[in-house]
Amino acid sequence: MIITLSDLLAGIRERKAALGIIDTPERTEQMRNTGSRRTACKLAMLEPIEKRARATGVTPLKGHF
């Protein structure tokens, strides 16, 4: 069985609606990973990604470093 991305997303939206889950910026922030248990290796990997984004004028995604 092949499922398209749009079909998958439609199914997710339907299940969320059935469960009463409403996406809001506050809810998204509440579910965001705090990064409190990130390893030094992961932090070292994320730092250049953020620097590169800033250098190209792109606002990096909010992260907890």
Side-chain angles (χ1 to χ4, degrees), residues 3 7-22:
I3 185 167
D7 290 341
L8 176 65
L9 293 174
I12 291 170
R13 282 191 294 273
E14 289 171 9
R15 288 190 301 276
K16 286 172 86 173
L19 293 170
I21 298 171
I22 300 170

Side-chain angles (χ1 to χ4, degrees), residues 18-64:
L19 293 170
I21 298 171
I22 300 170
D23 286 332
T24 63
E26 294 80 18
R27 181 174 175 79
T28 300
E29 186 60 32
Q30 183 182 24
M31 295 185 323
R32 192 177 296 277
N33 182 340
T34 64
S36 61
R37 294 181 289 169
R38 286 206 176 117
T39 64
C41 181
K42 177 77 178 250
L43 292 171
M45 180 191 71
L46 293 172
E47 187 178 355
I49 294 171
E50 183 173 353
K51 285 181 181 178
R52 186 173 57 234
R54 291 188 189 283
T56 59
V58 175
T59 302
L61 294 174
K62 184 176 180 182
H64 301 280

